[in-house]
Amino acid sequence: ELQAETSHEKLEWIQLITAATRDAICQAGHSEKNQLRDAQRKSQQLQTNIMYKKEIHTQMRVLKQGWLDKKGYFVRAWRRRYFVLQMESVGKPKLNYFRSPDTSVPQGTIDLTKMKQLRVVDRTCRIEIALPNRLFELEAESEVEAHEWVTKIHFATKEKPDEY
């Protein structure tokens, strides 16, 4: 860990390290542009592999995934979470939510088999999922996206063995 007494000294350290890194890359026979492009490709492949492995590892069919805001149960603040709608088995959909897409351990799970009500609040992006003991409040980026989530959840809960 590097320490600098002033922000100017810190900036000098960063510039020196950046220049040394750039020189080392160029000396290795690759242009900076090619190295950056390769690193971006590897990063994209890694992100794709993480999502693919997560789906294969859990042996569940992913029906929909994406970012939604979720209102907390105890602390009633809105937090951004990555949601994944999956079929645990035929007729057993579940909605897991994560802090980020590359996290394998969910922050929580909404058991959709116990769902009593599902709706988009009129003229909003808000989704309500009512369970016997809790109301989950979610918010999408748009009203269209909220309706997409509700449609996917609805069909997941109605899926029969011959449709799988």
Side-chain angles (χ1 to χ4, degrees):
E1 184 176 310
L2 296 175
Q3 292 186 355
E5 292 184 22
T6 66
S7 60
H8 180 69
E9 189 177 335
K10 183 178 179 181
L11 182 61
E12 285 181 30
W13 273 109
I14 291 170
Q15 289 172 341
L16 285 171
I17 292 169
T18 303
T21 304
R22 190 180 312 119
D23 291 345
I25 289 171
C26 290
Q27 288 176 0
H30 299 289
S31 72
E32 222 176 309
K33 196 180 225 179
N34 288 341
Q35 285 287 326
L36 182 59
R37 192 173 339 124
D38 290 344
Q40 287 171 336
R41 274 194 206 123
K42 286 179 184 177
S43 175
Q44 288 171 345
Q45 287 173 343
L46 181 60
Q47 289 173 350
T48 302
N49 288 344
I50 287 170
M51 291 308 296
Y52 179 72
K53 284 178 185 175
K54 185 187 295 184
E55 183 177 348
I56 296 303
H57 175 69
T58 57
Q59 295 298 309
M60 294 182 214
R61 187 169 50 133
V62 174
L63 303 175
K64 184 162 178 62
Q65 56 189 341
W67 290 101
L68 295 170
D69 293 325
K70 184 182 93 51
K71 195 171 195 178
Y73 182 68
F74 294 110
V75 178
R76 303 296 288 163
W78 289 94
R79 299 195 189 271
R80 193 152 180 78
R81 296 290 182 240
Y82 193 80
F83 281 79
V84 180
L85 174 61
Q86 296 176 299
M87 293 303 288
E88 189 171 23
S89 62
V90 178
K92 290 189 174 185
K94 69 180 187 175
L95 189 58
N96 288 322
Y97 52 95
F98 304 83
R99 285 197 176 171
S100 69
D102 57 338
T103 308
S104 60
V105 179
Q107 284 288 114
T109 299
I110 302 173
D111 183 1
L112 298 173
T113 60
K114 298 177 181 175
M115 185 175 64
K116 297 293 183 195
Q117 184 181 19
L118 172 67
R119 73 181 189 115
V120 175
V121 178
D122 289 339
R123 294 186 217 122
T124 68
C125 308
R126 192 162 299 167
I127 302 165
E128 290 182 347
I129 302 173
L131 301 181
N133 60 346
R134 181 164 176 196
L135 175 67
F136 284 91
E137 297 175 85
L138 311 174
E139 193 165 277
E141 291 287 323
S142 69
E143 193 174 347
V144 171
E145 186 180 352
H147 282 284
E148 286 175 6
W149 275 100
V150 167
T151 301
K152 289 283 189 176
I153 292 169
H154 174 75
F155 284 115
T157 58
K158 304 299 180 203
E159 190 172 80
K160 304 287 183 247
D162 59 336
E163 297 171 349
Y164 196 60

